[in-house]
Amino acid sequence: YQGERTWSMFEWWNHWPVAQVKSSGISAVAPDRPSHSSLSHIEGQPWRRTPETVTKIMLDGLTDRRPEELAVLARSWASPPKMITAGSGNTGQGYDPEQRAFVVTRETPDAGPVELTFAASQDSPLVNPAVAVENWGDAAPELILNGKPVTWGKDARFGLIPTLSASRLVVWVRLQAESETHLELRAAAGSKK
């Protein structure tokens, strides 16, 4: 459906059970009642395949941005920047498009700071990155971006997800970069470990 301000690449329907009419196989032509869409028609290469399953992934959502504005976001997902991991006891797993996050594993929760360098460029931009640190521990993190401390709030957030061994840290930063970017995570002074 293409209207004045909306565009959809998926067919959509307003049939049973919300509309008690014979409409199977007939697409909706107006947003006059509740409707739904389906992603079952997606083609493309599998991301992962097992003897019992096939997994395909895609980045989708709703926005009022113009397509050319979304090109940078699409490139950040389809061609993410290379992540270089430094700091003792930390191993970079790279970018995981299923999580839309860069993944790091710590040997132990009291390993050194997680130091990351993203080789962002115009072809591989860094857009609102998420970093997942496995085996972080219970300490609240401090974030340093390009050498400057960042205050947690609207544009930088973190969460600790409890696991059986040590919490998993997830950090999100509102940021768009097309040049080398440095990010450091360390346990906040005085926070429990």
Side-chain angles (χ1 to χ4, degrees), residues 87-131:
S88 62
N90 302 307
T91 304
Q93 308 299 321
Y95 184 75
D96 180 357
E98 288 182 278
Q99 299 182 63
R100 199 180 176 291
F102 293 90
V103 180
V104 177
T105 301
R106 299 179 95 192
E107 288 177 13
T108 63
D110 54 355
V114 175
E115 300 172 42
L116 306 174
T117 299
F118 300 96
S121 67
Q122 187 173 7
D123 292 333
S124 297
L126 188 63
V127 178
N128 299 337
V131 176

Side-chain angles (χ1 to χ4, degrees), residues 140-154:
E142 288 181 348
L143 171 63
I144 299 162
L145 186 63
N146 292 324
K148 298 178 182 174
V150 175
T151 302
W152 298 114
K154 181 181 171 187

Side-chain angles (χ1 to χ4, degrees), residues 134-135 161-168:
E134 306 293 342
N135 206 23
I161 302 168
T163 69
L164 292 175
S165 57
S167 293
R168 178 179 201 238

Side-chain angles (χ1 to χ4, degrees), residues 41 66 93 109 115 173:
H41 68 285
R66 301 186 55 76
Q93 308 299 321
E115 300 172 42
V173 182

Side-chain angles (χ1 to χ4, degrees), residues 2 45 62 71 74 86 120 142 167 181 184 190:
Q2 189 164 3
Q45 297 300 315
L62 301 172
E142 288 181 348
S167 293
T181 303
E184 183 179 340

